Each structure stands twice: as C-alpha cells, then as structure tokens.
Amino acid sequence: MRDYDELIAFLGEWGPFQRLIFFLLSASIVPNGFNGMSAVFLAGAPQHRCRLPASANLSREWLNAGIPREVQGGREGPSSCRRYRLESLANFSARGLQPGRDVDLSQLEQEKCLDGWEYSRELYRSTIVTEWNLVCEDDWKTPLTTSLFFVGVLIGSFISGQLSDRFGRKSILFATMAVQTGFSFVQIFSTSWEMFTVLFLIVGMGQISNYVVAFILGTEILGKSVRIIFSTLGVCIFFAIGYMLLPLFAYFIRDWRMLLLALTVPGVLCIPLWWIIPESPRWLISQGRFKEAEIIIRKAAKTNGIVAPAMLFDSAEVHWIDLFLGYRDILGLFFFSPQMQDMKRQQQQEQKAYILDLFRTRNIAVITVMSLLLWMLTSIGYFGLSLNTPNLHGNAYINCFLSAVIEVPAYVIAWLLLRTLPRRYSISGTLFLGGGVILLIQMVPTDFYVLSVFLVMLGKFGITSAFSMLYVYTSELYPTIVRNMAVGATSMSSRVGSIIAPYFVYLGAYDRFLPYILMGSLTVLIGILTLFLPESYGNPLPETFDQMLRVKGFRNRQRTNHVRSSKEIEDSKTQITPL
C-alpha cells in the first residue's frame, strides 16, 4: 500500500481543511496553558497576621502592638505566625498601660496564632490558602498541592499515548479534555484541602493527556510541511496564549472558586469541535478501517475544492488486510504455541536489554546521566520561575502576564537556532543567559524592582528557549532502536523536575533570593556540562549502537562529511515541543 503522505498528496499542504485542523487543534491546547499554571493564583498566599479576637477587649494601642515585628524579605513588618500572649495583652489593656512606654514589648512572651489569621484582601479575595489556612505550620501543603498536580502530569504522560493507540486519537482527545474540564469544575465544590489536591492530580492527568493526543492527531492529519510548523510554533504559541489568559481571568476574578469556574468555560466551548475535528485517517488505516478513512479524506478534498481520485485504496490490498483482520483471532492461536512463546520471551528479554542499553558503556552512560540532569534542572528553572511570579516585586498579575508573553519570542528564537547553529552551543548559550541573569538578581537594590523583574523575564526567556530545544537534541544523540526510549526517559526526568520546582519557590519564604541563587547556579552548571556532550548538528542520525559507540570521552571528536537526507534535516531542525 502507498505511503500515507503520498496517498493524501492531492489534497495539497495548506488548503481550507488543513487550516481548519491546524487552528482548531492548536486552540484546543489553550486550556492547557492556564490549567498548567493555575496554581499561581489558586494557591496564592496573601500577607497575613495572627487574629486578635474582639472578645479580648483590647484597646486600639494594644491591637496595633499585639503582633511582634520581624524582618521578612529584607523588610520589617508584622509577624505572620506569632503574636504576643493574648492573656498578657488583655491584662495590660485593662490596666491602662501603654505599649512601649509602660511595657517593654521585647520582654513579652509570644504564642502561635491560636485564633486563626487575618489575610490581606488587596491581592486576592480568597485562595485555597485562605480557605483552609495553609500557612505557618501548614504552609508545606501549598507546594505539595502543585507538586501533586505535576505527579498527575507524569502519570498522564505515561497513559495518554497508549490509550490513543488503543481507542483512537479523537476519542481520547475529547475524553481527556472532559477529564480536565470536568474535574476542574468538581474542584469548585471541594470541602477540604485533601479533596482539592486529589482532584488537582486528576486534572493534571487530563491536562498533559489532552496536549499529547492533540499533538499526535495534528501531526498525523496534516501534511509534512504544515506538520512541522504545527508541532513547533503552533502548539507552543497557543499554549503561551492560554498562559497569558490566566492572569487576565485572575485579575478580574479574585475568588478562587469563581476563577476555577471561569477556567472551565473554554473547555466547555470545545465540545462543538467533536463534530468538526475528524479522527486520524492514518490511525484508521492502521486499524483496517479503510472506509472511514476514505470518507474523511474525501470530505477533506471537498472542503479544499479538490476532486479526489476515484480509487484511494487498492481494492486487492484492502481485501487481504480485511481478511487478515477477520481471522485475527484464529491466527492468534498460533501465537500460543511453545515456539511462539519462546520467541515472545526472547523479545521481552531484548526489550529489557534495550532499557539497559542506555547505560551499556561508560560513554553512553555518561551521556544518559547528563541528559537526565539537563532535562530535570532545566525543568526546575522553567517551572520555578513560572510559579514564583507572585513573589516578585510589583503587580503579580502583570508579572505573570509578562512571564507568559516572553515565551513567544523564546520559542521563535529556539526554532531559528535549531535551523542555523550547533545544538550544544545553542542550548548551553541560552542556559548561560538564563542562569547568569538570575544570579544577578541578588545584586539588584530593593528599590530597583523593575530591573529585578526584567532580569527574571530575561532568565525565563533563556531557559524556555533551551527547554524547547531538548527534544530535538536528545533524539539526535541516540540510535534509532532506543531513541524513543531515551526521549521518554529524559522527558520523565523533566516531570520529576516540575514536581520538585514548587519547593524551590517555597524556599523563598526563608530568603527571597535563595530560589534564584539555587536555580541560577544549577542552570549555569548544567549549561557548562552541556558543552561536554557530543555535537549532533550536521551529523547523520545514528542508526546503531556502533555509530554511537564511536563517541570518545565526553565529546564527539569524530569528523564526518556525511550529509543527512533532506527529510532528516527538516525533521531535526524544526521540531520543538512545548513544556
């Protein structure tokens, strides 16, 4: 049977059908952008202080002086988690004593916030932090909430591909969109932090699954040239658009439950797409469902105003494939014979060996370990900076919007770098840029907060550019037989990084510069290590381990005059995968 791209060549590359699929699938990824970062505002922690109950009958002077002063983030302010002992304050107030004049406040006994907290309403009307008092002794629950969301992302990335291979791209696309939207809606009615967090984990599973399946469906329906743009700039930029919408929604909706409700609306608006977006003809053909595939292809031709060939599929080939599928159960009996069982066991052993092949020699093991670190530390930098925007000086909503906007030029620059410059220098250079400027933040005076925000955004630009180039670089380092496995393993490492990232943000409660020092140092370190990895730009993709084993030491000293085929060059130079 003819190659699928050859089969649909008569449709053209950029007709009305392709444009419709391109924009609708890209638009379906918009909810992923704001759901992925929604914890920035849902779990926002406003300024707070211990509550002094009215029943204590404190005078105005003692109400103002009842909270100890302490230095937080380089500035003095009321303590967030301590108060002076209420019984002593009531006694002093009843006796008419004045704080500071008659009573030395530094000598007073302190206690925890036994009557709860008072929260500032300047930034948020309510969040899950104010709802369930996730502060002081319970402040560890806030980063855990975000981390468990990314645990859901990790689980979803495992199962989404398998489900779409089994049940079809379109069905799983809309099923996972329903999971993401439906469980986000159920979160509105959460009665406890535990309930909210479990539901948030499930939302994370749907969030990544929706993206992965939309990505697969688009690359299978669209032609080669359009497929490249879709899988690079298309999905990335629409993801960033969704990210930009988050602070816009959050600015006008300051209550976390209403904000969640607003964030579910775009998912509901995607329901009509079920009758517009088709199933992947490529997947239907792989399942032997030729009639359904032909209907979709002919409908696409009609949309493009093109007359389809009278016969799309060779009737003889279709007949024999249908015959094979019809007797699949009978033929399956053969696979239970002792000989076939031995072959199956041998294949399973080979599969296990393939996993170990990522570490089969010292050189390959070093490359694998360094690649895992590269993905994980870059992910920590990306998500750490994204989640930390409310802690920056200035308006939290504007800062979050800028963090989203900066991703668009980052993706474009990454796409251009992949087409023109060596991989190591492109990735290492952008990591140096990102990590270096982040380290400079601690040197900026407190009053120059605009400069601090600028440096953070420049750091986010560099790390985002590097992150988006990692899929290409990793796929070029490994031979064909383990390439998919290597990309999967390193991608899993990045998910681990996203799970850890919220705790880097959490360290800012102790020292506001500490997250930047750690993220900047680790980013610069991994940028240096990247220079010791082999260079893949301009080299043919390795097909066997023999070709990969020619790598000497940490660097690829092999010189080759081979030129890749045009297909390899186009695929490797332009593939960017969003974060």
Side-chain angles (χ1 to χ4, degrees), residues 81-131:
C81 300
R82 306 290 294 178
R83 71 182 185 186
Y84 294 121
R85 188 179 178 189
L86 187 61
E87 183 180 350
S88 300
L89 297 180
N91 181 35
F92 295 143
S93 178
R95 293 166 57 187
L97 301 178
Q98 295 297 315
R101 189 190 68 184
D102 302 319
V103 179
D104 185 0
L105 297 178
S106 64
Q107 302 300 317
L108 293 183
E109 183 180 354
Q110 299 182 12
E111 63 184 4
K112 298 179 181 179
C113 300
L114 302 179
D115 296 290
W117 291 263
E118 294 177 352
Y119 296 96
S120 169
R121 305 294 178 181
E122 180 182 358
L123 196 59
Y124 313 107
R125 182 177 301 170
S126 71
T127 68
I128 66 169
V129 172
T130 64
E131 181 86 8

Side-chain angles (χ1 to χ4, degrees), residues 89-320:
L89 297 180
N91 181 35
F92 295 143
S93 178
R95 293 166 57 187
L97 301 178
Q98 295 297 315
R101 189 190 68 184
D102 302 319
V103 179
D104 185 0
L105 297 178
S106 64
Q107 302 300 317
L108 293 183
E109 183 180 354
Q110 299 182 12
E111 63 184 4
K112 298 179 181 179
C113 300
L114 302 179
D115 296 290
W117 291 263
E118 294 177 352
Y119 296 96
S120 169
R121 305 294 178 181
E122 180 182 358
L123 196 59
Y124 313 107
R125 182 177 301 170
S126 71
T127 68
I128 66 169
V129 172
T130 64
E131 181 86 8
W132 295 300
N133 293 322
L134 307 183
V135 294
C136 298
E137 291 85 358
D138 288 332
D139 63 353
W140 57 271
K141 293 181 179 180
T142 303
L144 180 60
T145 302
T146 310
S147 291
L148 288 177
F149 172 83
F150 289 113
V151 169
V153 171
L154 176 62
I155 297 172
S157 63
F158 275 119
I159 65 175
S160 56
Q162 300 178 29
L163 289 175
S164 65
D165 287 341
R166 174 67 178 85
F167 298 103
R169 318 307 194 201
K170 179 179 177 180
S171 300
I172 300 304
L173 171 65
F174 285 91
T176 53
M177 289 172 65
V179 167
Q180 180 179 225
T181 303
F183 281 91
S184 292
F185 181 75
V186 175
Q187 275 185 294
I188 298 171
F189 305 99
S190 298
T191 57
S192 66
W193 170 77
E194 290 80 7
M195 177 180 176
F196 178 91
T197 303
V198 171
L199 293 172
F200 209 26
L201 184 147
I202 300 174
V203 171
M205 294 173 58
Q207 192 258 2
I208 188 63
S209 300
N210 169 32
Y211 164 74
V212 169
V213 179
F215 184 87
I216 294 173
L217 183 59
T219 55
E220 290 185 346
I221 292 180
L222 300 172
K224 186 172 69 173
S225 62
V226 180
R227 183 188 311 150
I228 291 170
I229 302 298
F230 172 79
S231 61
T232 56
L233 300 181
V235 292
C236 293
I237 291 177
F238 275 82
F239 179 91
I241 290 173
Y243 189 2
M244 294 177 209
L245 290 176
L246 173 63
L248 182 64
F249 277 101
Y251 179 79
F252 291 103
I253 306 174
R254 304 293 179 99
D255 178 82
W256 74 269
R257 295 182 190 270
M258 292 299 99
L259 176 59
L260 261 181
L261 179 62
L263 294 180
T264 62
V265 172
V268 175
L269 296 178
C270 289
I271 293 177
L273 300 183
W274 172 267
W275 290 275
I276 303 175
I277 297 176
E279 179 57 272
S280 166
R282 193 187 295 264
W283 180 82
L284 290 172
I285 292 171
S286 71
Q287 302 297 306
R289 296 159 62 176
F290 295 97
K291 292 182 179 179
E292 297 175 56
E294 183 171 351
I295 291 173
I296 294 172
I297 295 173
R298 291 191 180 279
K299 184 177 179 179
K302 182 178 179 181
T303 303
N304 285 353
I306 298 172
V307 179
M311 184 178 68
L312 291 176
F313 302 103
D314 186 277
S315 57
E317 289 182 349
V318 171
H319 171 74
W320 283 109

Side-chain angles (χ1 to χ4, degrees), residues 349-376:
Q349 292 173 357
E350 290 176 353
Q351 181 67 24
K352 293 179 182 177
Y354 289 160
I355 296 174
L356 295 177
D357 277 341
L358 294 177
F359 305 91
R360 68 182 298 174
T361 69
R362 178 182 176 183
N363 285 339
I364 295 177
V366 168
I367 292 173
T368 299
V369 171
M370 291 174 64
S371 296
L372 293 172
L373 288 174
L374 174 60
W375 280 72
M376 184 175 70

